[in-house]
Amino acid sequence: FASWCAPCRIEHEVLKKYNNQAIIIGVAYKDSKENIRNFLKELGNPYDLVMLDKKGRAAIDLGVYGVPETYFIDDSGKIRYRQVGPLTVEKFENIMYLINN
């Protein structure tokens, strides 16, 4: 996610809705600590952990197309699903159904 990303603001509400049902780790992409702090102060913080990818290196390593991009990872660390673009409630619930059945 990024403070400058309009779709991230839309997705943020979805993350807040489900943050008590999953561990959510946010990776702030090409942003500053100050902007991220302000973003989370304004919209709330659904994240259990926030990391900063200031230069975009982690995004390159993961093959990220753009923000937002969400990875659903199981307890063994395996990526079970990759969502490119903002999550909606419907998408989140469908993805959770797919990976849990």
Side-chain angles (χ1 to χ4, degrees), residues 26 34 39 65 68 89 97:
E34 182 181 349
F39 178 85
Y65 292 107
V89 168
Y97 177 80

Side-chain angles (χ1 to χ4, degrees), residues 1 11-27 45-51 70-72 87 92:
F1 77 99
E11 179 180 81
H12 201 79
E13 291 303 312
V14 176
L15 298 177
K16 286 188 341 188
K17 178 177 175 68
Y18 294 103
N19 73 334
N20 62 347
Q21 297 177 25
I23 295 171
I24 301 176
I25 299 171
V27 180
N45 186 353
Y47 302 108
D48 295 284
L49 174 67
V50 176
M51 297 184 285
T70 305
Y71 295 83
F72 290 77
L87 283 170
F92 187 94

Side-chain angles (χ1 to χ4, degrees), residues 21-37:
Q21 297 177 25
I23 295 171
I24 301 176
I25 299 171
V27 180
Y29 175 72
K30 292 188 176 181
D31 217 326
S32 71
K33 288 180 184 179
E34 182 181 349
N35 287 346
I36 292 303
R37 261 190 235 109

Side-chain angles (χ1 to χ4, degrees), residues 68-88:
E69 194 161 297
T70 305
Y71 295 83
F72 290 77
I73 302 170
D74 67 18
D75 292 339
S76 68
K78 180 181 176 186
I79 296 172
R80 299 291 308 274
Y81 194 91
R82 178 182 183 184
Q83 167 64 36
V84 177
L87 283 170
T88 63

